[in-house]
Amino acid sequence: MVKPGGDNVIQDISNDGPAMPGRGRALLAALAVCAVLCVGLSLAGRWHGERVLDEERRELEESIQAPARFLSDTIFLRAGMLGALEGFVQNTALAPGRVEERFQNIAGYLNYGSNDVRVLALAPQGVVRMVFPLESNEVALGDDLLHDPKVRADVEQAVATGAVTLSAPYDLRQGGQGLVMRKAVTVDGRFWGLAALVLGVPALVEGTPLPNRTDILFGLAREGRIFYGDPDLARARPVVAPVPLPEGQGWELWAVPREGWAARGAGSARAFLATGGAFVALLTLLVYVFIRRTALLRRVVELTALQARTSESLYRRVFDSVLDGILIFDARGRVLSANPAACAMHGQRSMEGFRPRDFIHPESLRLFQEFLETASQGREFHSQGRGLRADGTVFPVEVRGTSFALSGGQRYLAVVRDQSEQERLRAERERFFALTLDLVGVSDLDKGLFRQVNPAWTQVLGFEPEEIIGRPWQEFVHPEDQAATQAAIREAAQGAGLRGFVNRWRTKGGDWRWLSWNAQPDRALGVAYAVARDVTGERLAAQKLRAANEELAAMNEELTSSNEEMAALNEEMTSTNEELLAEISRRSGAEDLLRASLAEKEVLLKELHHRVKNNLQVVSSLLGLQAGSVTDPAALALFEEGKNRIASMALVHEELYRSDDLSRVDLRQYLEKLARRLAGSLARDAAVDLALDLESILLSVDTAIPCGLLVNELVTNALKHGLAGREVLRLAVRARREQDRVLLRVADDGPGFPAHLDFRNTESLGMQLVVHLAEQLQGVLELEPGPGCAFSLSFPLREP
Amino acid sequence: MSDAASILLVEDERIIALEMKVLLQRMGFRVAASLSAGEQVLEQAPALCPDLVLMDIMLAGELDGIETARRLRRERPVPVIFCTAYTDAATMNRARDVLPVAILTKPVDRETLRRAILSGLDPGAARPQDPAPG
């Protein structure tokens, strides 16, 4: 089996995962290079900055040399003016008043064109006598310089040296700074006086190119201290140019860039850093790309090697697991390699180094030569031959072969398939073909000519196979069946095949046999496979069956006619039945009507009982109303008795109304109600111990009303007489059925019936009613002996 | 008599109604009215304001005593005593559904009636005055 190693190879190549560490390493290396470069760049930047600054300073220093010289020259020039004044005095002093006379002219002449000379003065004997311009300087006239303590030192130096002296700058009265230059004037070797001039420093500076220099800040210093300009200039690392002055004195011109040194160098430093940064970035990127590329190349090389190994392994697996035998030969026909299938096929453990005759049947060796020739011409070889197993047995093979070039030279590849199984199957099929009892044949679809038939044809039809093969079916089929057969074959050829088609075939002896056909076309091969079975026997049997059936049909017809007669009879019966059903339905209707009528009557009867009871109630009420006007208690008692009698009758109708069949009263319920009502009505406040022992006995109205009235009288009597002088009266009412008689008993534990009286013959209406009602009931009434009073009645139960 | 409990009597049989009225008056109750149909009861009861209704079940109008009691009780909680000749189970069950004080069967015993009326009247309601002697 081939394991899916190929997929792994593809995955390895495409998967970025394993390459990740390489990328990380490359990035780290690039960052390290970047860091080193940054340090270098920083150092270089600093060095560069210093170089630029130095250059700047040098340039600025050079640029202020000329103004410094200019300033120096101007001051020397002004010192020269004092020399000129001295000359003027020496030339003119001999003529008295001449100096004073000409001073203004000379001074105006000397001072012409110079804005920086604020004052020119002459001080004969040290006292200021002449001043130019006189305007606004009059105050100086008369100053005795030799004796002025502020200037005395300067003046004495000037007298002592005879050279031009220069005072320190001081604030002028006219505004601004100024400095005074003095020179002692001698005439004929004798001290004459002093010549002096005052220079305005701002005007002096104005006269130089310095004010045009907008790019710098500058100042003038004397003995290391700024006296003109910004005093803070000293802290800004100024460049210095010397300004030489007369008598070996000197100033310094200090200057710094107006924007400061840093600003001057900044642009250059930015450009340097930008260029350097870009260079570092580029170099870092290059380093990263280089390392990454190297890593990737190494990976590709590894993967290629892996792929090669996997391909080889894959090929080896295919080679080992394929079911066909694969053999590789060299040009001489020796086996270089044989796969396990090839070895197994030939019964060998290994076949390397085998020569053709070791595994090819001698008859097929010629084919091997053909294989080598065909394959070496670059064509594919295909043939069938016979192979040899290790045990010497022969087996059929199918061989395909080709050649290919390898570094060592031409190689031949043969794929060998063992055909033993196919051979066996073919032989088996042919055996079945020969043995089957059915007629089996193969015919072409085109003309219907038989190509192959089995021996069964001879057994059934008598023809030898060669008498049938190559002949069309039309020669054998019955003329009457030709058309149907043609149609069936046409239909079968559409692809559906034939199932159970029957036609007649001629035998060699001239008889006809019935054959039932199954057939299936194979349009690709242009043939039809057909199987037929001799059904002549079945056919004859079927014919006989048909004849029998026809006979049966005739009998059936007879039966049918009999059936029809039966049906007529049945119809008659059905109509009779329907009449009967109608009758039943009619009767059922009548029954329903009867039931309805009965229900109606029940309602009416109920209503009737209710009415009777109501009417009795009205009668009772009438009596009651009438009693309303009576005041005599005895008379009132009579009314009350009457009302009770009516109520006892009404109670019968109430019970009837409540009973199920509306015609009979349950004596138990009736007497219980009656007794309790009477006890409640007549006993007043005295307690009556009522003992009822009543059986359930159904009585008709005719019996119930006299029975009720009788009990009414007996209970009334008991309550009326028995209670006299007593607190509690025990009153027992009993009703029992014994066979077809009812036994009634009303007893009390009162004083008893008066012994001297005959209850059958008294004046009491109550007792008279009792006796008469007992008679009406055809009962036997008895007074039981004391103690107490107990009447018992036995009367026959008449079923309604 | 003005303190006597007022009873509304409902009975379609006028003779019986008359006897009942006399009976009640003798007992010391005041008869607010004696009516014969349920419709009249529903119409007049609000004005009469009886303390108790004594009513037959079978009445003259469309409504029977039970239905009348049901509608009357919907308006005001007046105690009702049924007094009937009908004592079949279905009618009794229907009558019990409207929670009467008592269901009395005709003929009504005087003492039973008196006790039923007294138990129906509220404890604070006026007691019947003693009937006139004789």
Side-chain angles (χ1 to χ4, degrees):
Chain A
M1 288 303 290
V2 179
K3 291 183 182 166
D7 291 346
N8 291 343
V9 174
I10 292 162
Q11 209 173 4
D12 284 347
I13 294 167
S14 61
N15 192 358
D16 275 344
M20 285 307 282
R23 185 179 290 175
R25 272 201 302 278
L27 199 62
L28 276 176
L31 284 176
V33 168
C34 178
V36 169
L37 286 175
C38 283
V39 170
L41 182 66
S42 163
L43 292 173
R46 191 169 298 169
W47 174 79
H48 172 77
E50 282 168 7
R51 282 279 309 278
V52 168
L53 188 62
D54 285 350
E55 200 168 323
E56 282 291 316
R57 289 181 73 86
R58 201 164 50 248
E59 272 178 22
L60 187 60
E61 204 175 326
E62 278 172 15
S63 75
I64 60 171
Q65 293 299 326
R69 269 198 306 277
F70 192 95
L71 197 61
S72 174
D73 290 350
T74 306
I75 293 170
F76 272 101
L77 210 61
R78 300 300 177 249
M81 285 172 83
L82 290 179
L85 266 182
E86 187 184 23
F88 160 69
V89 171
Q90 285 171 345
N91 288 335
T92 344
L94 297 177
R98 194 74 172 147
V99 173
E100 288 83 355
E101 193 185 305
R102 293 191 61 192
F103 174 74
Q104 290 295 331
N105 286 341
I106 291 299
Y109 174 75
L110 283 174
N111 198 32
Y112 181 76
S114 55
N115 297 327
D116 45 6
V117 179
R118 306 288 290 268
V119 181
L120 278 171
L122 282 176
Q125 300 307 313
V127 180
V128 178
R129 298 293 180 198
M130 287 156 275
V131 179
F132 177 88
L134 190 61
E135 194 182 337
S136 75
N137 290 317
E138 295 91 342
V139 70
L141 290 175
D143 281 355
D144 186 352
L145 299 175
L146 290 174
H147 298 98
D148 186 341
K150 283 193 286 184
V151 300
R152 191 171 165 180
D154 285 351
V155 170
E156 281 176 356
Q157 192 192 355
V159 172
T161 59
V164 175
T165 61
L166 201 64
S167 70
Y170 64 95
D171 293 332
L172 292 176
R173 273 197 296 262
Q174 301 89 337
Q177 278 191 324
L179 56 93
V180 182
M181 298 173 84
R182 294 188 184 86
K183 188 174 179 3
V185 179
T186 56
V187 177
D188 295 334
R190 285 181 294 142
F191 176 71
W192 178 81
L194 291 163
L197 64 83
V198 177
L199 282 175
V201 177
L204 203 59
V205 174
E206 286 291 323
T208 69
L210 284 171
N212 298 330
R213 290 292 294 271
T214 54
D215 58 329
I216 59 168
L217 293 174
F218 63 91
L220 291 171
R222 180 172 175 271
E223 295 169 358
R225 294 170 69 111
I226 293 280
F227 65 88
Y228 175 84
D230 187 355
D232 293 336
L233 216 55
R235 287 200 292 274
R237 293 193 293 146
V239 291
V240 177
V243 181
L245 294 177
E247 292 303 306
Q249 299 182 70
W251 294 346
E252 285 173 339
L253 176 62
W254 291 5
V256 294
R258 183 175 287 277
E259 305 296 335
W261 295 111
R264 289 293 292 263
S268 167
R270 263 200 303 278
F272 179 83
L273 282 175
T275 314
F279 173 72
V280 166
L282 186 67
L283 211 60
T284 304
L285 185 68
L286 281 173
V287 167
Y288 174 77
V289 168
F290 174 75
I291 295 173
R292 185 92 182 90
R293 268 196 87 82
T294 311
L296 279 176
L297 275 172
R298 199 162 51 237
R299 181 94 189 123
V300 166
V301 168
E302 280 169 12
L303 285 176
T304 310
L306 178 67
Q307 202 172 10
R309 279 200 302 279
T310 314
S311 294
E312 167 114 25
S313 151
L314 219 107
Y315 159 73
R316 175 52 64 183
R317 279 189 219 165
V318 172
F319 187 74
D320 287 349
S321 59
V322 74
L323 293 173
D324 287 334
I326 299 175
L327 293 153
I328 297 170
F329 304 95
D330 64 10
R332 289 181 301 154
R334 274 188 187 268
V335 175
L336 291 173
S337 180
N339 72 342
C343 294
M345 207 181 289
H346 291 90
Q348 303 286 358
R349 191 164 289 177
S350 165
M351 291 175 71
E352 275 171 38
F354 272 35
R355 290 161 303 174
R357 66 166 182 274
D358 297 333
F359 59 96
I360 297 173
H361 190 272
E363 286 176 11
S364 296
L365 281 173
R366 181 184 45 81
L367 287 172
F368 187 77
Q369 276 307 317
E370 263 178 47
F371 158 55
L372 292 182
E373 282 162 21
T374 312
S376 60
Q377 286 162 12
R379 288 184 286 127
E380 193 173 291
F381 176 79
H382 182 208
S383 180
Q384 289 179 336
R386 295 205 280 170
L388 267 181
R389 295 202 184 89
D391 60 6
T393 52
V394 182
F395 63 101
V397 292
E398 184 184 358
V399 182
R400 283 178 187 276
T402 185
S403 70
F404 59 96
L406 206 70
S407 51
Q410 194 80 354
R411 296 285 185 272
Y412 297 86
L413 175 83
V415 179
V416 186
R417 184 168 291 177
D418 189 345
Q419 294 290 331
S420 307
E421 185 62 16
Q422 279 81 346
E423 283 283 317
R424 193 181 61 75
L425 287 173
R426 190 160 57 240
E428 225 168 62
R429 198 166 57 236
E430 276 171 8
R431 268 200 297 281
F432 275 116
F433 192 74
L435 286 173
T436 182
L437 292 172
D438 289 332
L439 287 68
V440 181
V442 182
S443 71
D444 64 25
L445 276 175
D446 196 18
K447 293 176 182 163
L449 301 178
F450 283 102
R451 288 185 177 181
Q452 199 179 356
V453 294
N454 69 341
W457 287 75
T458 313
Q459 287 160 19
V460 175
L461 297 177
F463 296 108
E464 292 299 324
E466 53 271 20
E467 289 175 290
I468 299 168
I469 290 168
R471 311 278 289 274
W473 56 267
Q474 285 90 340
E475 289 186 15
F476 303 95
V477 172
H478 195 285
E480 289 175 8
D481 295 342
Q482 292 267 347
T485 305
Q486 185 68 54
I489 288 172
R490 213 170 21 247
E491 198 181 322
Q494 302 294 321
L498 266 186
R499 293 289 177 273
F501 174 74
V502 179
N503 60 4
R504 283 166 287 181
W505 283 63
R506 183 165 56 83
T507 65
K508 199 170 183 179
D511 294 333
W512 295 99
R513 307 293 296 177
W514 291 93
L515 298 182
S516 172
W517 290 91
N518 281 1
Q520 188 63 43
D522 185 334
R523 294 162 72 86
L525 293 176
V527 297
Y529 302 95
V531 181
R533 181 163 290 179
D534 183 2
V535 293
T536 311
E538 287 96 320
R539 231 23 219 205
L540 289 175
Q543 273 177 357
K544 278 181 193 164
L545 200 66
R546 198 154 44 240
N549 268 346
E550 276 164 14
E551 214 170 302
L552 272 171
M555 283 168 76
N556 199 24
E557 235 166 76
E558 268 173 51
L559 266 172
T560 306
S561 72
S562 312
N563 269 348
E564 275 166 12
E565 279 168 38
M566 291 275 286
L569 270 171
N570 199 23
E571 220 165 90
E572 224 167 287
M573 281 181 75
T574 305
S575 76
T576 314
N577 201 23
E578 273 168 14
E579 276 168 37
L580 276 170
L581 281 172
E583 182 60 24
I584 287 169
S585 167
R586 249 192 320 278
R587 290 189 184 186
S588 167
E591 199 178 309
D592 287 348
L593 282 174
L594 276 173
R595 204 173 286 123
S597 165
L598 193 61
E600 199 180 343
K601 287 198 171 68
E602 275 178 12
V603 171
L604 286 173
L605 207 52
K606 251 183 164 176
E607 181 64 23
L608 189 66
H609 285 307
H610 179 244
R611 271 287 117 209
V612 171
K613 188 192 171 193
N614 213 43
N615 287 345
L616 287 171
Q617 189 65 39
V618 172
V619 172
S620 172
S621 291
L622 283 169
L623 272 178
L625 286 168
Q626 197 155 14
S629 57
V630 175
T631 51
D632 176 18
L636 270 176
L638 288 177
F639 274 102
E640 197 63 31
E641 279 174 26
K643 283 185 76 175
N644 279 341
R645 286 177 188 124
I646 293 166
S648 297
M649 288 174 73
L651 193 55
V652 169
H653 287 281
E654 186 186 327
E655 289 302 310
L656 281 169
Y657 167 80
R658 283 158 58 89
S659 72
D660 289 336
D661 65 359
L662 300 170
S663 63
R664 288 186 298 175
V665 171
D666 185 349
L667 192 62
R668 185 165 68 99
Q669 289 179 6
Y670 173 61
L671 289 186
E672 186 176 345
K673 282 186 181 173
L674 181 66
R676 289 194 190 286
R677 193 177 58 76
L678 285 172
S681 154
L682 296 173
R684 305 286 174 205
D685 294 331
V688 175
D689 182 6
L690 197 58
L692 300 174
D693 179 11
L694 305 166
E695 266 185 28
S696 182
I697 304 164
L698 292 176
L699 299 181
S700 67
V701 188
D702 294 344
T703 313
I705 289 196
C707 183
L709 281 172
L710 190 147
V711 172
N712 179 75
E713 295 309 322
L714 288 175
V715 169
T716 304
N717 258 348
L719 292 169
K720 203 157 85 181
H721 302 294
L723 262 173
R726 293 172 62 97
E727 296 217 336
V728 177
L729 177 74
R730 182 177 168 78
L731 176 60
V733 181
R734 196 174 70 192
R736 288 209 179 129
R737 177 175 175 169
E738 280 185 3
Q739 273 123 30
D740 53 352
R741 292 190 78 79
V742 178
L743 302 181
L744 266 178
R745 183 173 180 271
V746 178
D748 64 66
D749 60 350
F753 199 81
H756 62 280
L757 289 180
D758 175 8
F759 74 87
R760 294 179 203 279
N761 192 11
T762 66
E763 292 296 316
S764 161
L765 174 60
M767 281 316 293
Q768 286 179 31
L769 285 173
V770 168
V771 171
H772 280 86
L773 289 166
E775 274 177 22
Q776 189 180 331
L777 288 167
Q778 297 175 339
V780 180
L781 183 69
E782 279 177 17
L783 173 64
E784 292 176 13
C789 177
F791 281 95
S792 59
L793 171 69
S794 161
F795 64 90
L797 183 62
R798 281 173 294 183
E799 296 294 338
Chain B
M1 287 293 280
S2 60
D3 288 344
S6 150
I7 295 176
L8 175 59
L9 183 62
V10 190
E11 168 66 66
D12 65 329
E13 196 66 65
R14 300 316 295 162
I15 304 282
I16 299 175
L18 186 58
E19 192 205 8
M20 292 288 275
K21 183 179 172 183
V22 171
L23 185 63
L24 290 170
Q25 284 170 346
R26 285 212 190 129
M27 286 178 183
F29 297 111
R30 187 168 67 80
V31 175
S34 172
L35 306 174
S36 60
E39 289 81 351
Q40 293 174 327
V41 176
L42 296 177
E43 192 183 318
Q44 297 181 27
L48 295 169
C49 281
D51 296 317
L52 186 138
V53 178
L54 180 63
M55 182 154 60
D56 190 3
I57 288 178
M58 192 69 176
L59 297 176
E62 289 290 316
L63 302 174
D64 69 356
I66 298 170
E67 186 55 30
T68 305
R70 192 194 312 283
R71 295 194 189 183
L72 188 63
R73 297 282 280 275
R74 221 181 282 160
E75 304 298 323
R76 52 196 297 262
V78 60
V80 173
I81 294 173
F82 286 124
C83 183
T84 180
Y86 280 102
T87 54
D88 62 301
T91 307
M92 294 295 267
N93 284 338
R94 272 186 62 224
R96 280 191 202 103
D97 284 349
V98 297
L99 305 174
V101 175
I103 304 172
L104 305 177
T105 312
K106 288 178 185 173
V108 182
D109 172 57
R110 180 191 159 101
E111 187 53 28
T112 310
L113 177 63
R114 201 178 71 86
R115 275 200 295 271
I117 290 171
L118 287 181
S119 75
L121 294 170
D122 287 345
R127 287 278 171 265
Q129 290 184 345
D130 288 333

